[in-house]
Amino acid sequence: MDVVTLVGIVALLFVVISLSEPLADWLRLPYTVVLALIGTLIGSLGAYLIPQGPSLSELAPAVEIFEFRIRANVFLYVLLPTLLFQVALGLNLRRMAEDWVPILVMAVMAVVLATFAIGLALQPFTTLPLVACLMLGSIVATTDPSAVVSIFRNIAAPQRLTRIVEGESLLNDAAAIALFGFFLTFVMLGVPNPTWQDALVGFPTLIFGGVAIGWFLGRLCLGVLSWLGRFPLAQISLSVALPYVTYIIADQVLGVSGVIAVVMAGMTLNYLGPGRMTPTNWTNLREVWDVLAHWAGALIFLLAAFLVPRLLADVRLYDLFLIAVVVVAATAARLFMLYAVLPMLTALRLSPRVDRPYRVAIMWGGLRGAVTLALALAVSENFRVPVDVKRDVGILATGFTLFTLLVQGTTLRRVISYLGLDKLAPIDRALSNQVIAVALQNVREEVAQTAKNHDLTHDIVRSEAKRFAERLDDALQRAEVADDILDRDRITLGLVALAGRERDLILDAFREKLISTRLAEQMLSDADRLIERTRIGGREEYRAAGRLSLAQGREYRLANLLHNRMRLSGLLASLTADRFEILLNLRLILRDLHPYIDTKIRRIHGRRVSDLLHELVRRREEEIQAALAGLRLQYPGYAEQIERRYLRRIALRLEEREYEVLFADGIIGKELHTTLKQELALKSRALEVRPPLDLAVQKTELVRQFPLFTGMDNESRKQLARVLRTRYVQAGDVLRRKGEMPREVCFIASGAVELTTAGQKLRLGRGEMFGQLSILSRQALKTQVVAISHTTLLVLDEARFRRLLKRNQKLRAAVVQSAEQRGVDLTALEL
């Protein structure tokens, strides 16, 4: 086949891909099913026409497309890495991390269960060895839920459920391909069978080795991407190379799972990439990968379907019975996961509750496709695999794939409709009537004003107004019938709309380049959680989700631990700077929600509901303000730097708009406009670098502001700051326990702690200290000290504290005062 013919065939394939999407929409079938049907049709025509040979010689150029053969390696090394990498790049990892248990269980356990269920069910009815049956089970265990995920998105299914299905599909492919490679070594002739020891050591090495190499190459790529910051096309080009380099190194050089390595590389770039690239460059990279994945996914289905006639060339009647056995075993394994394992995870509060209609949809939407056919082709092309195994695996895997596509795929929408998942909930249907009524009232006013401004014909205006009035009266009657929506439900609907508006404002700030890509993704993840939990639990869940977005999670605790115990402050400084920026932006966004409540929500839900929504938003604002105040006390001056940077970014954005308007109006020419934009780009690039949070500088500032140290000269304060250690603690942390012998004194720079002695409680706040009385009396603690808020402590060891006490009279007076307050005998202290 010459180059011209090959280019022509590729062009025809892209024409087929472009026409398949509108055809799928017209036929109301999943896009992948249409591609598979077209590919199978082309392959069948080829199987019929090619043997005709000489009789079709005059049509040779046209027939060459039917002779177009593709090998399994093209799927595994060219198309599959692209598809897996894009899926990993598009996942919401922050939200998926909350559901990692159900995703991992539903993916890995489902693959293992399906593999053994199919293998054990098939073995009694065939002459294949058990290990070959298990290999077949691993081939057909991988699912392609793209159709059901697409439908879930269109019918507004719970986001958490959609995330779990997406995450399961990604890890499902990786686990199935890893199992396939493991069982294949047992089936191949001339290759020593692995021992149990090899299995127990080799399989985990395959998995974790892939994770390690994917993470390493992903981080290496991120470093180069940062260096290529001024060259967006170079960044995209490098990202395109990453999955292929990762797959080849992992699979061919190191002998670990290339699929898992590609997935891990994509997840690494997904999680860390937004912080290393500008928002525009990151958005462009994601868009390019969306297109590449669309092409790869379509080509996988289309080209794999070409192979169907070839794989089914030797099918017999008994093979249909074996295909039925595979269908029953695979369905039983899926039902067990959905009706036994998933409810158990729900009972343990590890997974959301999945209603029966959604379970049926997930089960019926578990189509098999290109990956199954590609693995079956890989077996049929392997010269070390026995001929009978090649034949049976090819026929059974292809037959099962065709069953899922032709039976389940073509009826999936009807099943969704039968389950009622495509219908609005009663409360949404009632709300829709009121929304239509309010919208039509607004439209009537706009249309009347338009008719007046344009001086339209009076008779036409009157007839159209009469027609519109009839429609408006009908809408108002429907709205009155639906006016029995409970206030509780109205509050929930209003809060969901409010959370959606908050998400839109975050996106607007991101587009205006006021928020970095990484922080925008984190804030959008919090907004998605807010929407999701509010839908489920109403007002209480809205407040809980709002507080959760302000909480300092496990990563923050780890950062505090590294700083307090190992003096490693990099992670803590980065997370704290992120927290500053998020809180400042969120405070401004929440303020913009009040006009939205007055102009939009009040007209639909009424004054009482809107007043309550105002109050809930104000409570969130107060919580954010309190969190910001605590940060300002812990890190004096840094908030002002962030606010100043924010204002400068707004000023640059407004300046850019002015230049755009002047250019559009023809006041400035293209050359001047380009020069002005280049100058703004340089200033904007400088502002993209966030002011560094230097914890050492912050510690010096805390010492300067501490009341007990205000009388010291600058040099003495600097020396003291060098020997003091900063410790950050969270509410609930136990700082001292009864019976301990303290070796250090803690000065409270911000926050508060509570001392409990013999049932009596005493609270200490900023400017006070604890631990000094036990040190000076050389007695074990009779008090337990617990932090009651996020607190910053300045810690001084015993020897330095004693030296400081001798030369600082203000500190000495504070120690005496604290002893008198707590009833401690001064003669017992070594003052």
Side-chain angles (χ1 to χ4, degrees):
M1 185 180 295
D2 58 27
V3 174
V4 175
T5 304
L6 180 62
V7 171
I9 290 174
V10 173
L12 284 175
L13 289 176
F14 276 95
V15 170
V16 171
I17 290 171
S18 67
L19 296 178
S20 296
E21 199 162 359
L23 180 61
D25 182 67
W26 181 65
L27 295 173
R28 295 188 61 79
L29 290 175
Y31 174 56
T32 52
V33 171
V34 171
L35 285 172
L37 290 174
I38 294 175
T40 303
L41 179 62
I42 294 173
S44 301
L45 285 173
Y48 170 75
L49 292 176
I50 291 173
Q52 307 301 318
S55 63
L56 296 174
S57 58
E58 66 276 7
L59 300 176
V63 174
E64 283 197 58
I65 187 172
F66 300 115
E67 297 178 324
F68 183 64
R69 294 293 181 90
I70 187 166
R71 301 184 64 82
N73 284 346
V74 175
F75 291 103
L76 298 178
Y77 286 92
V78 178
L79 301 176
L80 189 60
T82 304
L83 199 58
L84 293 174
F85 188 80
Q86 188 274 336
V87 173
L89 201 62
L91 293 174
N92 188 338
L93 295 179
R94 287 182 174 83
R95 297 305 312 279
M96 285 183 61
E98 301 171 8
D99 296 312
W100 69 271
V101 173
I103 289 173
L104 201 60
V105 170
M106 291 296 292
V108 178
M109 186 176 176
V111 167
V112 174
L113 181 65
T115 297
F116 281 88
I118 294 168
L120 294 174
L122 192 63
Q123 208 269 333
F125 302 102
T126 181
T127 57
L128 293 178
L130 176 61
V131 70
C133 295
L134 292 174
M135 181 182 69
L136 173 65
S138 67
I139 290 174
V140 301
T142 176
T143 60
D144 175 39
S146 57
V148 73
V149 168
S150 175
I151 292 174
F152 276 5
R153 286 174 176 164
N154 291 335
I155 63 176
Q159 293 182 18
R160 194 177 177 193
L161 177 61
T162 305
R163 276 198 312 272
I164 290 176
V165 174
E166 283 183 315
E168 178 202 356
S169 69
L170 179 63
L171 297 181
N172 183 295
D173 286 348
I177 294 172
L179 266 179
F180 163 75
F182 177 71
F183 287 124
L184 183 62
T185 57
F186 285 90
V187 175
M188 291 190 298
L189 299 174
V191 177
N193 286 340
T195 63
W196 279 107
Q197 182 178 357
D198 294 334
L200 293 175
V201 175
F203 191 67
T205 302
L206 197 74
I207 302 297
F208 292 110
V211 170
I213 191 63
W215 176 84
F216 173 76
L217 292 177
R219 291 300 300 264
L220 186 64
C221 178
L222 281 168
V224 182
L225 286 174
S226 300
W227 179 65
L228 294 173
R230 294 188 297 111
F231 308 99
L233 296 180
Q235 289 181 321
I236 293 173
S237 302
L238 181 62
S239 75
V240 172
L242 177 60
Y244 301 107
V245 172
T246 301
Y247 194 94
I248 292 170
I249 292 177
D251 188 71
Q252 296 294 314
V253 179
L254 301 176
V256 296
S257 174
V259 171
I260 291 177
V262 168
V263 170
M264 190 63 196
M267 293 172 71
T268 302
L269 191 61
N270 178 1
Y271 191 75
L272 300 175
R276 307 293 181 89
M277 299 173 64
T278 64
T280 303
N281 290 1
W282 178 252
T283 302
N284 292 339
L285 184 145
R286 291 280 295 269
E287 289 174 352
V288 167
W289 270 103
D290 287 342
V291 175
L292 291 176
H294 176 72
W295 290 344
L299 287 171
I300 283 179
F301 267 94
L302 197 58
L303 295 176
F306 281 9
L307 309 171
V308 169
R310 173 180 159 191
L311 293 170
L312 292 179
D314 191 28
V315 66
R316 300 167 191 162
L317 188 61
Y318 187 70
D319 295 327
L320 299 180
F321 168 72
L322 295 180
I323 291 172
V325 172
V326 174
V327 170
V328 171
T331 303
R334 193 65 173 164
L335 287 173
F336 179 81
M337 293 299 301
L338 290 171
Y339 286 89
V341 176
L342 197 56
M344 182 181 67
L345 294 175
T346 303
L348 296 173
R349 297 186 178 182
L350 297 174
S351 173
R353 182 175 179 271
V354 181
D355 295 330
R356 187 186 66 83
Y358 286 111
R359 287 190 224 172
V360 175
I362 292 172
M363 190 273 294
W364 200 248
L367 310 181
R368 269 64 171 181
V371 175
T372 298
L373 293 177
L375 295 179
L377 180 63
V379 172
S380 68
E381 291 179 353
N382 194 318
F383 69 94
R384 293 184 181 275
V385 176
V387 176
D388 58 332
V389 174
K390 289 182 182 181
R391 176 196 172 278
D392 288 356
V393 167
I395 290 174
L396 297 183
T398 306
F400 180 63
T401 301
L402 286 178
F403 173 84
T404 63
L405 292 174
L406 299 180
V407 177
Q408 294 175 214
T410 56
T411 58
L412 181 58
R413 284 190 179 274
R414 273 176 282 179
V415 170
I416 294 287
S417 180
Y418 174 76
L419 294 171
L421 295 177
D422 57 346
K423 297 180 177 62
L424 283 175
I427 187 172
D428 289 327
R429 193 161 51 247
L431 178 67
S432 70
N433 294 322
Q434 292 193 331
V435 170
I436 291 171
V438 171
L440 290 179
Q441 287 175 328
N442 294 338
V443 170
R444 181 178 63 178
E445 297 170 5
E446 293 284 343
V447 169
Q449 187 63 41
T450 301
K452 182 179 179 181
N453 293 340
H454 292 80
D455 194 23
L456 300 178
T457 305
H458 180 70
D459 292 339
I460 294 176
V461 172
R462 186 172 60 182
S463 65
E464 287 299 313
K466 182 179 178 181
R467 178 176 169 273
F468 193 85
E470 292 175 356
R471 186 183 174 196
L472 179 58
D473 290 340
D474 180 63
L476 289 172
Q477 289 175 4
R478 290 174 179 270
E480 288 175 3
V481 172
D483 199 35
D484 57 349
I485 302 176
L486 298 176
D487 278 355
R488 179 186 61 196
D489 294 331
R490 287 188 178 279
I491 292 168
T492 298
L493 292 169
L495 288 173
V496 170
L498 210 56
R501 178 59 179 167
E502 182 177 327
R503 193 182 195 282
D504 293 340
L505 290 173
I506 293 170
L507 284 172
D508 290 343
F510 169 66
R511 294 189 191 101
E512 294 291 331
K513 301 178 183 178
L514 303 177
I515 308 176
S516 68
T517 308
R518 181 168 53 85
L519 294 187
E521 288 191 349
Q522 185 174 338
M523 294 177 71
L524 288 172
S525 177
D526 291 338
D528 289 339
R529 184 197 297 117
L530 194 66
I531 296 171
E532 190 176 325
R533 292 186 61 168
T534 303
R535 284 185 185 277
I536 297 171
R539 184 194 325 183
E540 294 303 320
E541 285 298 317
Y542 176 84
R543 294 195 62 193
R547 286 192 293 267
L548 186 59
S549 65
L550 301 180
Q552 297 176 345
R554 296 190 187 96
E555 196 173 14
Y556 219 102
R557 287 184 176 275
L558 174 63
N560 279 330
L561 183 67
L562 292 174
H563 171 78
N564 295 337
R565 299 289 177 85
M566 305 176 66
R567 309 288 181 89
L568 300 175
S569 303
L571 180 60
L572 179 61
S574 175
L575 291 177
T576 303
D578 287 350
R579 185 171 171 79
F580 258 118
E581 196 165 352
I582 288 174
L583 290 175
L584 287 169
N585 282 284
L586 194 56
R587 183 184 63 177
L588 296 172
I589 286 170
L590 289 182
R591 288 178 181 175
D592 290 339
L593 293 180
H594 292 289
Y596 177 77
I597 295 172
D598 292 330
T599 57
K600 301 293 183 181
I601 294 180
R602 176 171 290 190
R603 301 194 67 173
I604 295 174
H605 294 295
R607 180 175 180 177
R608 182 169 51 184
V609 173
S610 62
D611 287 345
L612 181 59
L613 297 186
H614 276 302
E615 178 61 28
L616 290 172
V617 172
R618 276 193 289 267
R619 288 183 186 177
R620 286 188 64 196
E621 288 181 285
E622 290 169 1
E623 291 169 353
I624 290 172
Q625 192 59 42
L628 272 173
L631 285 174
R632 283 193 173 99
L633 287 173
Q634 285 183 306
Y635 311 99
Y638 188 71
E640 286 72 17
Q641 295 182 48
I642 294 292
E643 287 177 342
R644 189 175 292 111
R645 172 174 173 257
Y646 182 83
L647 287 174
R648 288 175 180 174
R649 293 174 83 167
I650 289 179
L652 282 179
R653 187 59 179 157
L654 293 174
E655 186 178 349
E656 184 179 8
R657 283 186 191 172
E658 288 297 319
Y659 295 152
E660 294 291 346
V661 171
L662 293 173
F663 176 67
D665 292 342
I667 296 175
I668 62 174
K670 185 176 181 180
E671 294 79 5
L672 178 57
H673 178 252
T674 302
T675 302
L676 292 173
K677 286 197 68 174
Q678 289 174 348
E679 293 176 357
L680 282 180
L682 290 174
K683 295 177 182 177
S684 179
R685 194 175 298 126
L687 284 176
E688 284 174 3
V689 180
R690 186 171 56 195
L693 176 59
D694 190 335
L695 296 182
V697 172
Q698 298 298 321
K699 181 175 66 172
T700 303
E701 185 64 19
L702 288 173
V703 171
R704 188 184 67 79
Q705 295 183 3
F706 201 84
L708 294 178
F709 307 141
T710 54
M712 300 174 66
D713 58 78
N714 289 334
E715 187 59 33
S716 299
R717 272 202 302 267
K718 288 180 181 178
Q719 291 178 1
L720 179 60
R722 282 196 290 268
V723 298
L724 281 168
R725 289 186 292 110
T726 313
R727 181 178 299 168
Y728 302 100
V729 295
Q730 300 188 46
D733 288 353
V734 178
L735 308 178
R736 295 284 187 274
R737 299 182 186 277
K738 292 180 182 179
E740 289 182 351
M741 182 62 73
R743 292 288 181 265
E744 56 193 18
V745 176
C746 297
F747 300 91
I748 304 172
S750 67
V753 301
E754 186 174 73
L755 283 64
T756 304
T757 307
Q760 295 185 345
K761 297 182 183 295
L762 174 66
R763 291 191 173 184
L764 302 179
R766 181 173 180 267
E768 298 184 280
M769 57 184 161
F770 59 89
Q772 74 281 4
L773 298 181
S774 295
I775 284 178
L776 295 175
S777 63
R778 297 189 181 276
Q779 292 182 357
L781 283 172
K782 299 177 182 178
T783 299
Q784 178 166 288
V785 184
V786 179
I788 57 176
S789 67
H790 297 296
T791 303
T792 303
L793 302 175
L794 298 174
V795 182
L796 191 63
D797 63 69
E798 179 180 352
R800 290 189 174 96
F801 172 72
R802 288 181 179 277
R803 288 200 295 269
L804 179 63
L805 186 64
K806 290 179 180 178
R807 62 176 187 268
N808 191 318
Q809 293 301 318
K810 186 177 289 189
L811 177 61
R812 189 181 185 88
V815 169
V816 171
Q817 183 181 359
S818 65
E820 291 173 347
Q821 286 178 344
R822 300 174 206 178
V824 177
D825 185 4
L826 293 177
T827 59
L829 302 179
E830 298 177 355
L831 290 172

